[in-house]
Amino acid sequence: MWDSETELVGGRDYGNGVLSSTKQSVKTDGFELKGNSWYVATDIPSDLLVQVGDVNFHLHKYPLLSRSGKINRVMYELRDPDLSKMVLDDVPGGPEAFELAAKFCYGIAVDLTAANISGLRCAAEYLEMTEDLEEGNLIFKTEAFLSYVVLSSWRDSIVVLKSCEKLSPWAENLQIVRRCSESIAWKACANPKGIRWAYTGKPTKVSSPNWGDMKDSSPSRSQQVPPDWWFEDVSILRIDHFVRVITAIKVKGMRFELIGASIMHYASKWLPGLINEGTGAADEGSNSSNSTSNSGSSWKGGLHMIVAGNKNEPANVQAKNQRMIIESLISIIPPQKDSVSCSFLLRLLRMANMLKVAPALVTELEKRVGMQFEQATLADLLIPSYNKCETMYDVDLVQRLLEHFLIQEQTEISSPRPQSFPGKHYDDLQRGTGPNAKMRVARLVDSYLTEVSRDRSLSLTKFQVLAEALPESARICDDGLYRAIDSYLKAHPTLSEHERKRLCRVMDCQKLSIDACMHAAQNERLPLRVVVQVLFSEQVKISNALATSSLKEAGDSQFQPMVSNRKTLLEGTPQSFQEGWAAAKKDINTVKFELESVKAKYVELQHDMENLQRQFDKMSKHKQTSAWSSGWKKLSKLTKNTNLENQNIGLEHTTAADQLSRKTPRRWRNSIS
């Protein structure tokens, strides 16, 4: 019996869901089943045997001819009045639906439910039980039940849509799938505060909800309905019907975040390998998902909007169904960024490559990953190479993802920004642009290079191309890149000197930290030229730091704001570097003191020289002058001035040489330590 509980449509009476014909030509008490054959409980012997599949129906011609146009036409075309057997193997709904239709022809009461209405409606269409033969025929009554009862109920619409899986293409042609999808979409988009129908709410262990045990699950007025209340109910549908429902929900204006969440919920239920991080082909045939093996393998229909895959498809039926699910989910993911997580997209991409999904859809999925590549993790990027490539991991795939990310970044920078919210930081977060996204991607790529560099099959060209794909501004520090280079050198000890130099060109020695410089200075795997560059860059850094410290101590006002930043920098440096810094400061103070002493001695000597010159001038006035003596005096004065200048220059050279001899060994020891 049909029972709709709180979802009854007022003002409509369908005899409590019981159908019966108003005319009875053959009086009967019902049908009797004997083995695989149905017999009419009547004294009149049957004159027509109808075979549907492996079930035989012993019936009478007149009740069927009076209500079925198809049987009328078949008997007319055969022109055999003594025809006693008819084979109808293609009846939609099978023997169960034909049994109900035959009972209706005999005037026997038929119980209409959400489970049998779709099959009975298709069987009535197949048998051509129209109003032309009799008023109130089966097509009219089943159509009325669908329109006024099923479509007004949330759970009946779900059950009918689920039952349509075995009725293709009849259910599609009769618009049963479309109407049920529209009904489900309208109710899913309704305000959760106004929901008064039953729903599962929580995931169940069985493949479909138990509708009979849901009488107490209907939300009360005081109970708050979550926005994802419809996820579990919709997830029991086959993939093509799920696509129809999601498409209808999109048209109704559902938020893209909820649509993406429902797609991820559906994938977690029907793609068990997606949760298990994508296992091999051997794991695809396991019974890890009862719902997939039971419902998916029985699917005989087609999904018309799906692009066909490669010709060399796996023989496993479950793998084919999973490939079709993946292709369908890719086609309905909302175009907005962050509608689904980047981790979900990468796991979907992993399974797409493993199951040989259509290349056009794989490319579309790669572009979607590139839109939010900064959200990826290293574990999701380690996708094995399923195309029999020479490398263990699919490095070319990561290269393409990075290219899509850079293209997306460039497009967003060049496109005009909408006037949405004030503040550049908030706008960058919404759009994913800005230097922070590139920095996160740079760290991710460096970690990926470190991981895949252990593969001895990875060529130097692939490593170099991936490392140089990002612009220089994306990396503030090249420590991660140095770590990847060192790991590659460990795994490839047979590289030539030229190849090692070529590998190290991707790294900027000036962007290495103190710890990385200390490690590189003692790294025997690096070329000697690179080690020298590292040491030189370290000396330049220390010299700049010392110059900054000297200006700060001199009280220069323009360097005052840098004190706190420099203090923070020193606190984050190793202890050995701080000790070297203190020793260098002592050397600077010693050099300053010696320089001041030399300056004082120089001033004192200059003063004494001036006194001696004045005394000499006084003494020379008392003597008689002559042309020879005046010339000699000029020559002697010129000689003294020259000696004085040479003395000053020698003093300056001595001071500079002394300072250099004091500083150079100390700086060298600090860099090595």
Side-chain angles (χ1 to χ4, degrees):
M1 295 291 290
W2 161 68
D3 184 12
S4 182
E5 298 173 1
T6 59
E7 298 175 327
L8 286 172
V9 181
R12 302 187 181 99
D13 185 12
Y14 292 92
N16 292 328
V18 178
L19 287 185
S20 61
S21 178
T22 57
K23 298 180 181 180
Q24 296 187 18
S25 58
V26 178
K27 294 183 179 180
T28 177
D29 295 332
F31 280 29
E32 296 177 355
L33 178 63
K34 298 179 181 179
N36 287 337
S37 301
W38 284 95
Y39 296 89
V40 182
T42 181
D43 296 336
I44 303 175
S46 63
D47 56 356
L48 180 63
L49 173 63
V50 180
Q51 184 177 354
V52 181
D54 56 351
V55 180
N56 297 322
F57 293 87
H58 298 271
L59 306 174
H60 302 83
K61 293 181 181 179
Y62 180 75
L64 298 180
L65 290 174
S66 63
R67 293 173 178 84
S68 174
K70 182 178 179 61
I71 295 180
N72 267 287
R73 190 177 68 257
V74 170
M75 297 191 71
Y76 175 78
E77 291 174 354
L78 293 177
R79 299 183 183 276
D80 185 5
D82 298 330
L83 180 66
S84 60
K85 184 177 180 180
M86 187 178 297
V87 179
L88 301 175
D89 288 334
D90 53 349
V91 177
E96 295 81 6
F98 184 80
E99 175 198 347
L100 296 177
K103 287 182 178 180
F104 177 80
C105 293
Y106 279 89
I108 301 174
V110 177
D111 294 339
L112 292 184
T113 63
N116 63 20
I117 186 61
S118 58
L120 188 58
R121 172 67 182 88
C122 295
E125 189 72 22
Y126 173 85
L127 295 173
E128 301 175 12
M129 302 175 71
T130 63
E131 296 294 295
D132 297 337
L133 298 175
E134 182 182 353
E135 186 178 355
N137 210 345
L138 188 58
I139 290 179
F140 172 78
K141 293 192 175 182
T142 52
E143 187 66 29
F145 186 84
L146 274 171
S147 301
Y148 296 113
V149 177
V150 171
L151 298 182
S152 63
S153 169
W154 165 261
R155 60 182 185 178
D156 287 350
S157 300
I158 294 285
V159 172
V160 170
L161 192 56
K162 182 71 177 175
S163 65
C164 290
E165 296 177 358
K166 301 178 182 179
L167 298 173
S168 298
W170 288 91
E172 283 283 352
N173 297 335
L174 295 175
Q175 304 296 320
I176 299 177
V177 173
R178 182 190 62 79
R179 288 182 288 173
C180 289
S181 301
E182 292 285 339
S183 173
I184 294 171
W186 276 114
K187 294 175 176 61
C189 295
N191 189 351
K193 296 181 180 180
I195 291 177
R196 293 294 179 268
W197 49 79
Y199 60 93
T200 56
K202 295 181 179 180
T204 56
K205 295 182 180 179
V206 295
S207 59
S208 61
N210 189 358
W211 304 105
D213 297 338
M214 289 172 50
K215 295 181 179 180
D216 298 333
S217 64
S218 181
S220 61
R221 294 185 178 180
S222 60
Q223 181 181 357
Q224 186 176 3
V225 179
D228 59 349
W229 62 269
W230 52 277
F231 286 6
E232 182 63 24
D233 289 349
V234 174
S235 67
I236 70 171
L237 300 174
R238 198 176 63 185
I239 181 61
D240 56 339
H241 295 162
F242 178 77
V243 170
R244 296 288 293 271
V245 170
I246 294 298
T247 303
I249 288 177
K250 284 182 180 179
V251 175
K252 301 296 184 297
M254 174 74 74
R255 300 201 316 269
F256 67 88
E257 299 94 343
L258 280 177
I259 295 177
S262 66
I263 292 174
M264 289 190 291
H265 181 84
Y266 187 91
S268 65
K269 187 170 185 177
W270 289 83
L271 298 174
L274 198 69
I275 304 176
N276 299 332
E277 299 298 332
T279 54
D283 297 336
E284 297 168 13
S286 62
N287 296 327
S288 57
S289 175
N290 295 330
S291 61
T292 306
S293 59
N294 295 337
S295 302
S297 60
S298 62
W299 183 8
K300 302 298 183 182
L303 192 60
H304 304 291
M305 75 287 294
I306 294 305
V307 182
N310 297 332
K311 294 182 179 180
N312 52 350
E313 295 179 348
N316 196 321
V317 176
Q318 187 177 1
K320 293 181 180 180
N321 292 335
Q322 287 185 347
R323 179 170 62 251
M324 185 169 290
I325 291 173
I326 292 174
E327 291 177 343
S328 303
L329 294 181
I330 295 173
S331 64
I332 62 174
I333 293 177
Q336 292 85 354
K337 183 179 178 180
D338 296 331
S339 57
V340 293
S341 65
C342 185
S343 178
F344 171 76
L345 291 174
L346 283 169
R347 283 179 285 163
L348 201 63
L349 183 59
R350 179 199 297 259
M351 290 197 69
N353 289 333
M354 180 177 64
L355 297 173
K356 303 295 187 297
V357 169
L361 293 176
V362 173
T363 302
E364 181 64 25
L365 188 57
E366 290 176 359
K367 292 180 180 178
R368 292 301 308 271
V369 175
M371 290 175 58
Q372 46 198 102
F373 192 52
E374 70 276 5
Q375 303 172 6
T377 60
L378 177 60
D380 294 329
L381 279 184
L382 295 176
I383 300 176
S385 180
Y386 297 106
N387 297 326
K388 296 182 180 180
C389 187
E390 66 275 4
T391 57
M392 182 185 304
Y393 296 106
D394 200 343
V395 182
D396 295 333
L397 172 61
V398 178
Q399 176 70 28
R400 293 195 299 270
L401 297 179
L402 186 57
E403 291 176 356
H404 290 310
F405 168 77
L406 295 175
I407 293 173
Q408 181 70 21
E409 288 284 314
Q410 189 64 32
T411 303
E412 292 182 350
I413 292 174
S414 60
S415 61
R417 294 175 179 267
Q419 299 295 331
S420 55
F421 293 92
K424 181 178 183 299
H425 179 66
Y426 180 82
D427 195 42
D428 287 344
L429 290 179
Q430 290 296 102
R431 298 168 59 88
T433 59
N436 292 333
K438 289 185 179 179
M439 291 178 186
R440 288 194 296 269
V441 171
R443 289 194 294 268
L444 179 64
V445 171
D446 293 347
S447 301
Y448 180 80
L449 286 172
T450 304
E451 189 68 27
V452 301
S453 62
R454 301 184 179 95
D455 183 10
R456 295 190 176 183
S457 301
L458 180 64
S459 64
L460 176 60
T461 302
K462 286 188 176 182
F463 184 95
Q464 185 178 6
V465 169
L466 184 57
E468 294 178 343
L470 285 168
E472 295 182 0
S473 59
R475 292 185 178 93
I476 298 179
C477 180
D478 278 8
D479 285 7
L481 200 55
Y482 168 71
R483 196 159 36 245
I485 291 173
D486 186 51
S487 178
Y488 190 88
L489 290 174
K490 285 182 182 178
H492 301 78
T494 59
L495 290 178
S496 63
E497 184 72 14
H498 173 71
E499 291 175 334
R500 288 190 296 159
K501 289 181 180 179
R502 175 184 163 193
L503 175 64
C504 293
R505 286 196 195 104
V506 303
M507 174 184 61
D508 188 357
C509 297
Q510 296 182 359
K511 292 184 179 181
L512 296 179
S513 65
I514 298 298
D515 290 339
C517 289
M518 293 172 61
H519 185 276
Q522 303 175 4
N523 194 346
E524 298 179 354
R525 290 179 291 271
L526 295 177
L528 181 60
R529 180 183 180 88
V530 177
V531 176
V532 172
Q533 290 178 353
V534 169
L535 292 175
F536 177 75
S537 63
E538 183 187 4
Q539 293 295 328
V540 171
K541 289 179 185 177
I542 295 177
S543 300
N544 294 336
L546 293 178
T548 304
S549 175
S550 176
L551 291 174
K552 184 204 67 159
E553 292 179 356
D556 195 344
S557 59
Q558 62 179 346
F559 288 91
Q560 290 299 324
M562 298 178 61
V563 173
S564 59
N565 294 335
R566 181 178 170 275
K567 182 179 180 182
T568 305
L569 179 63
L570 287 177
E571 290 176 354
T573 55
Q575 185 66 27
S576 59
F577 179 76
Q578 295 184 14
E579 293 175 357
W581 189 285
K585 289 176 65 176
K586 291 181 180 179
D587 291 344
I588 291 174
N589 294 332
T590 303
V591 171
K592 285 182 179 180
F593 178 75
E594 293 177 354
L595 182 60
E596 294 295 334
S597 301
V598 171
K599 286 182 179 180
K601 291 181 179 179
Y602 174 74
V603 172
E604 184 179 355
L605 289 174
Q606 189 176 11
H607 182 67
D608 294 342
M609 185 65 184
E610 291 176 354
N611 292 334
L612 291 174
Q613 184 65 34
R614 284 194 295 270
Q615 292 178 6
F616 178 77
D617 292 339
K618 290 179 181 180
M619 293 175 62
S620 61
K621 287 180 181 180
H622 299 288
K623 297 181 179 179
Q624 293 181 354
T625 60
S626 63
W628 177 260
S629 63
S630 84
W632 179 258
K633 183 177 181 180
K634 291 180 181 180
L635 182 61
S636 63
K637 187 178 296 187
L638 179 62
T639 303
K640 290 180 181 180
N641 291 336
T642 304
N643 293 335
L644 184 59
E645 291 177 359
N646 292 336
Q647 183 180 359
N648 294 337
I649 293 173
L651 182 60
E652 291 177 359
H653 281 294
T654 304
T655 305
D658 183 46
Q659 182 178 0
L660 183 61
S661 64
R662 289 177 177 272
K663 290 176 64 178
T664 302
R666 175 63 64 184
R667 290 171 62 189
W668 180 264
R669 287 195 299 272
N670 290 339
S671 65
I672 295 301
S673 62

